[in-house]
Amino acid sequence: MDTQLQKVYDQVLRRNPGEVEFHQAVKEVFDSLGPVLRKRPEYVEGAVLSRICEPERQIIFRVPWVDDAGRVRINRGFRVEYSSVLGPYKGGLRFHPSVYLGIIKFLGFEQIFKNSLTGMPIGGAKGGADFDPHSASEAEVMRFCQSFMTELYRHLGEHTDVPAGDIGVGGREIGYLFGQYKRITNRHESGVLTGKGLTWGGSLVRTEATGYGVVYFVNEMMQEIGRSLEGARVAVSGSGNVAIYAIEKAQQLGATVVACSDSSGYVVDERGIDVELLKHVKEVERERIRCYADRRDSAVFSDRGSIWQVPVEVALPCATQNELREEDARALVANRVAVVAEGANMPCTPAATAVLQEAGVNFAPGKASNAGGVATSALEMQQNAARDSWGFAETDAKLQEIMHDIHDRCAGTAEEYGQPGNYILGANIAGFTKVADAVIAMGVV
Ligand code: NDP
Ligand code: 2IT
């Protein structure tokens, strides 16, 4: 790493002890920025990097609620408002037992550059709680969301901070959160959250957007190397919002998705995943992935080894951070994978990414390939601001255009910096320079 960058990185390590995912996310971006600092000394003089690494505001709060047995339960809630230079703070909420400040900060940091890449006027943020919706009843989830919003509402607003979903926060949770916001403030302020229901300010395509967007991005990458998704074998990890719609779109474009997973294991289905059955098992029944295999003759469940041992041309990690490790990358390379695109945030470990890049695999980092979700959130905000709602085809066309533009921005920047095909470098530099220029323009604030 460049010495200027190393100094700032050392400061990040000192200031944020133990936050390993945050350190990893910062290092991944910094590893790309050496050539930029050589070209633009004003970024060093203006301490732009130190400023970007320090969130504008970090909110940590108690979330008290009462479970079905009448016991008082306490969780910890977070909202890290990272950067508002490009627009209001924007980014999802994650409810998962693994959540702590380091996870929220890594996600918020990534979100700054992702949101910049979308070309939309949105800043970066992330929030959540160490709450596990899987082990809570419907009524408990509602009470938890109400308590969470009872604290968070004072920090939100359509021009201030606009959360959405992430792991463990889907349409159901956004409904409870919006209901409580509306009740406390006495305002039907639809632009305050995205991922809303379609009858109360939600946007068509937002549900599908992240998964569809990943596949639109992969389509662009494959065109670049003279290949196509038609007839390709694909593996998609996870079976949540991002995974389901990545599977749906990949199959619509002629691929066969032969495997998907959850935290309990994975299924291989050589006939191609039946996405309607998968939706039913995961979204209606809220069941484990094994139930998919129980209902489908062609599918086999496994809780040993890894989904990445299944031979595929295209691998889409869409579950969680650091789920695809060095040995997984080696297995994918041995099976001649051509494209790996991150649907989740930071799903590939640095060692895995290095293996893939050294083997010449076309690799897309999440901040580029999964940006379709937040970009469509920004489209939802546009519709809310105009008190309008657009049709599915129109919104989907905008999403496709946005993914095309992000692809070209990353590919073009990589080429400009002498590393054609390096989407990591392209995404980091293109995402960063737009934010850095805005930071400089606004003075020391
Ligand atoms: P969901 O909660 O809908 O689904 C998450 C999926 O990942 C589930 O199948 C879950 O399995 C699995 N998973 C979660 N944690 C783990 C873990 N520790 N180990 C193994 N599997 C795990 O979340 P989303 O689909 O919304 O999010 C998936 C990823 O995509 C996340 O990284 C998120 O940050 C990212 N993302 C989401 C966007 C969105 O719009 N929703 C936008 C951009 C990125 P199980 O049910 O067993 O826990
Ligand atoms: O990681 C992400 O980009 C998201 N979870 C979506 C955020 C949003 O505001 O739509």
Side-chain angles (χ1 to χ4, degrees):
M1 198 188 283
D2 182 281
T3 49
Q4 297 295 342
L5 288 157
Q6 187 67 47
K7 263 199 234 158
V8 182
Y9 185 62
D10 290 343
Q11 188 186 53
V12 166
L13 295 181
R14 273 198 307 278
R15 272 206 180 126
N16 307 278
E19 297 175 2
V20 290
E21 296 83 1
F22 175 51
H23 304 162
Q24 182 183 332
V26 172
K27 184 165 188 311
E28 195 255 358
V29 171
F30 278 22
D31 279 340
S32 300
L33 296 183
V36 180
L37 296 197
R38 285 192 284 282
K39 237 178 159 170
R40 306 287 299 273
E42 67 270 29
Y43 292 162
V44 179
E45 287 147 23
V48 170
L49 288 160
S50 320
R51 286 202 263 166
I52 290 180
C53 288
E54 187 63 19
E56 289 175 12
R57 189 175 298 108
Q58 305 183 54
I59 303 149
I60 304 182
F61 52 100
R62 178 169 68 195
V63 189
W65 55 285
V66 178
D67 69 17
D68 289 346
R71 279 187 306 254
V72 175
R73 305 274 288 264
I74 301 296
N75 285 95
R76 184 172 287 179
F78 301 89
R79 185 72 178 166
V80 175
E81 296 179 335
Y82 229 109
S83 169
S84 60
V85 289
L86 298 184
Y89 304 113
K90 183 82 197 89
L93 297 171
R94 177 178 292 191
F95 291 169
H96 192 271
S98 63
V99 164
Y100 77 107
L101 187 58
I103 295 266
I104 300 300
K105 262 187 193 146
F106 118 64
L107 290 162
F109 185 77
E110 286 283 292
Q111 201 82 44
I112 306 171
F113 308 109
K114 181 195 302 191
N115 294 3
S116 161
L117 278 174
T118 64
M120 319 288 285
I122 41 180
K126 204 80 186 192
D130 57 356
F131 170 75
D132 183 9
H134 281 320
S135 61
S137 70
E138 178 85 27
E140 288 173 334
V141 169
M142 182 178 78
R143 290 197 294 277
F144 180 82
C145 289
Q146 290 174 339
S147 181
F148 185 88
M149 187 53 92
T150 299
E151 175 57 34
L152 191 64
Y153 87 95
R154 70 192 80 245
H155 305 288
L156 306 184
E158 64 172 314
H159 300 294
T160 310
D161 186 352
V162 183
D166 193 81
I167 290 177
V169 178
R172 173 180 69 171
E173 290 74 18
I174 293 293
Y176 297 145
L177 291 164
F178 187 75
Q180 186 72 352
Y181 182 88
K182 186 176 73 57
R183 187 174 189 198
I184 294 175
T185 59
N186 194 32
R187 285 163 65 91
H188 194 291
E189 187 184 336
S190 46
V192 79
L193 285 172
T194 59
K196 299 180 295 297
L198 295 176
T199 54
W200 40 279
S203 172
L204 284 164
V205 191
R206 176 61 189 91
T207 304
E208 296 84 355
T210 311
Y212 278 20
V214 173
V215 175
Y216 294 147
F217 196 93
V218 168
N219 212 17
E220 301 275 344
M221 292 170 84
M222 293 197 80
Q223 275 172 25
E224 204 87 343
I225 54 170
R227 295 169 79 143
S228 131
L229 271 167
E230 180 78 48
R233 275 170 68 90
V234 179
V236 177
S237 65
S239 48
N241 172 265
V242 180
I244 285 174
Y245 292 98
I247 295 170
E248 182 168 284
K249 183 51 72 179
Q251 303 209 133
Q252 281 174 10
L253 297 184
T256 305
V257 180
V258 292
C260 67
S261 66
D262 66 13
S263 60
S264 67
Y266 63 99
V267 293
V268 177
D269 185 345
E270 288 292 340
R271 265 171 59 206
I273 299 289
D274 176 341
V275 82
E276 292 311 316
L277 176 60
L278 185 66
K279 282 182 193 170
H280 189 77
V281 168
K282 299 305 290 190
E283 293 182 333
V284 180
E285 298 178 343
R286 295 183 186 270
E287 268 296 352
R288 306 281 69 205
I289 197 72
R290 177 193 288 273
C291 295
Y292 173 89
D294 290 345
R295 312 245 174 95
R296 184 138 156 113
D297 292 344
S298 53
V300 182
F301 170 77
S302 174
D303 56 6
R304 299 225 175 116
S306 148
I307 186 173
W308 308 120
Q309 289 161 347
V310 180
V312 289
E313 260 177 273
V314 177
L316 307 178
C318 296
T320 193
Q321 66 278 350
N322 292 328
E323 53 155 313
L324 196 161
R325 296 166 176 274
E326 186 176 357
E327 59 273 21
D328 300 319
R330 290 198 192 286
L332 286 168
V333 168
N335 286 325
R336 297 168 161 273
V337 74
V339 170
V340 176
E342 295 185 326
N345 286 306
M346 209 170 74
C348 298
T349 65
T353 309
V355 167
L356 296 170
Q357 284 203 304
E358 275 156 30
V361 175
N362 292 278
F363 179 83
K367 62 172 77 69
S369 46
N370 75 33
V374 75
T376 307
S377 280
L379 298 179
E380 183 171 331
M381 291 162 74
Q382 286 184 8
Q383 293 167 77
N384 294 153
R387 302 198 182 286
D388 195 3
S389 56
W390 307 333
F392 192 95
E394 181 186 353
T395 316
D396 188 40
K398 287 184 198 281
L399 170 62
Q400 287 187 53
E401 192 183 326
I402 290 167
M403 296 315 294
H404 171 85
D405 290 349
I406 296 173
H407 175 273
D408 284 6
R409 215 165 274 143
C410 296
T413 306
E415 210 158 300
E416 185 189 330
Y417 281 82
Q419 294 198 38
N422 188 342
Y423 290 96
I424 299 182
L425 187 95
N428 285 336
I429 294 181
F432 170 78
T433 48
K434 188 172 160 197
V435 177
D437 290 341
V439 166
I440 302 252
M442 289 182 201
V444 180
V445 291

